[in-house]
Amino acid sequence: MDEKDFLEMPYIDRKYLEIVPEGATVFTDPWDTCFQILDITATVVKPLRPATALIKGAKKFRKKQAIKVLKVTRKQAISGIFPGDGMPKVGNLYICNPIDTKRYYNISNFHEEMRNHKLMEAQYLLRSLGATRIEIFTEQEEEKEKSFGFKSSYKDSFESSGGFNAFSNNQEQKSYKATYNPSGDPFVPIDLYWYDNEPQWETIAVDRLHHGLTSFELEVEVTSNYGVNTNLINSFSNKKSEANSEFNGNYKKFKKQKLKLYGEFSS
């Protein structure tokens, strides 16, 4: 795989990344190879053509059941963005941000990074709208749900291991306050990812730009875990990849997030 191919792949095919060392043997799913052979055989051998529908059905079933982990080297993954780690670490598992699909987060802190990404964009939007004061308060509950870590052992004798800690019934609170002296006209940036998925943000922007909004207070409870839950972790924990990798360690289960945003604008 060339570096330029990485982000051009469909999101579903690169949702989960395993970072492997340069020169490591990367295995393809044996089922994919099997289906390719059956496709060619059914096309060439007439008696097998009625089996085409059956093969398609088996593919769909396999697609629903299987969790694909794309194996890439650090060089191949360089076009992606890996907040927290900076550069992707060999022997680690990453999950793609479904809103901004250039970004990948280590599975150990996926939910925290998703929250941070959303809050950073909220601040960016409010500053662009000419906010003179911004206050943000977050509260998140986490609990240790599943022992999870990562061990890798490759045929080229490269070995790595990693782990991370989670704490039972941990409650985390953060707050952010800032004041500004804006210059220029208020506007909505074009490089937003969350905006189209947050109707309340659009309401604030419209009221600010067209109806003289001077202040607002917004409180929301985040309930979506984006499919990153204990069922997914169990799938990884029970999986030994074709590259002879084992997934195990500690994972912070997403439980609940509360976000409070307050903003003021000059009249």
Side-chain angles (χ1 to χ4, degrees):
M1 179 194 301
D2 296 330
E3 293 89 330
K4 65 179 181 180
D5 296 331
F6 170 58
L7 291 179
E8 294 177 1
M9 296 179 65
Y11 162 75
I12 194 64
D13 292 334
R14 57 181 181 85
K15 186 175 181 179
Y16 308 111
L17 289 187
E18 176 188 347
I19 307 301
V20 300
E22 299 292 337
T25 303
V26 178
F27 293 81
T28 58
D29 189 333
W31 281 100
D32 290 341
T33 304
C34 179
F35 285 135
Q36 290 176 3
I37 295 173
L38 288 174
D39 281 338
I40 296 173
T41 305
T43 302
V44 176
V45 183
K46 291 183 179 181
L48 292 180
R49 288 180 182 176
T52 303
L54 183 61
I55 295 172
K56 289 182 178 179
K59 282 183 178 180
K60 289 182 179 180
F61 177 79
R62 173 65 180 171
K63 187 174 182 180
K64 289 181 179 179
Q65 298 299 314
I67 295 179
K68 288 188 176 181
V69 179
L70 180 66
K71 297 170 182 61
V72 296
T73 64
R74 293 180 66 183
K75 184 178 180 181
Q76 291 169 336
I78 197 169
S79 56
I81 301 173
F82 295 82
D85 288 349
M87 285 290 291
K89 297 179 179 179
V90 173
N92 277 247
L93 187 66
Y94 294 87
I95 300 179
C96 186
N97 180 330
I99 305 298
D100 180 358
T101 58
K102 298 188 302 296
R103 294 177 177 269
Y104 283 84
Y105 305 134
N106 196 299
I107 193 171
S108 65
N109 58 1
F110 174 82
H111 296 300
E112 180 180 0
E113 291 292 354
M114 286 293 293
R115 180 194 61 187
N116 291 342
H117 184 241
K118 188 172 188 176
L119 290 178
M120 288 176 62
E121 185 163 296
Q123 295 173 40
Y124 175 38
L125 171 62
L126 294 176
R127 291 197 305 270
S128 300
L129 290 172
T132 57
R133 182 179 180 85
I134 298 174
E135 294 184 9
I136 298 176
F137 175 80
T138 68
E139 181 177 307
Q140 178 170 290
E141 294 182 8
E142 296 172 336
E143 63 182 26
K144 188 168 71 171
E145 174 67 18
K146 180 69 179 177
S147 179
F148 190 85
F150 193 85
K151 291 195 306 180
S152 299
S153 177
Y154 296 92
K155 289 187 175 180
D156 57 2
S157 298
F158 178 95
E159 294 187 359
S160 66
S161 62
F164 23 84
N165 296 320
F167 301 93
S168 297
N169 300 322
N170 179 49
Q171 184 168 333
E172 180 185 50
Q173 296 180 345
K174 291 183 179 180
S175 62
Y176 170 86
K177 296 181 181 180
T179 57
Y180 302 91
N181 184 21
S183 61
D185 296 329
F187 68 99
V188 175
I190 61 173
D191 55 341
L192 298 176
Y193 294 92
W194 290 92
Y195 186 79
D196 291 337
N197 297 286
E198 299 291 335
Q200 292 170 311
W201 292 18
E202 184 176 0
T203 298
I204 291 171
V206 171
D207 286 351
R208 166 61 179 152
L209 295 175
H210 303 291
H211 304 293
L213 180 69
T214 57
S215 68
F216 76 91
E217 186 171 343
L218 177 64
E219 181 174 345
V220 296
E221 183 169 306
V222 181
T223 57
S224 175
N225 58 22
Y226 306 101
V228 180
N229 51 34
T230 51
N231 289 333
L232 179 67
I233 299 306
N234 284 332
S235 299
F236 287 133
S237 297
N238 296 327
K239 178 183 177 64
K240 183 171 182 178
S241 75
E242 294 84 353
N244 196 26
S245 302
E246 295 179 353
F247 306 98
N248 49 50
N250 286 330
Y251 160 71
K252 295 178 182 178
K253 176 187 174 183
F254 172 85
K255 189 174 182 182
K256 183 172 62 176
Q257 293 179 346
K258 289 183 179 179
L259 309 179
K260 296 180 182 178
L261 287 83
Y262 173 78
E264 294 180 0
F265 305 95
S266 59
S267 57

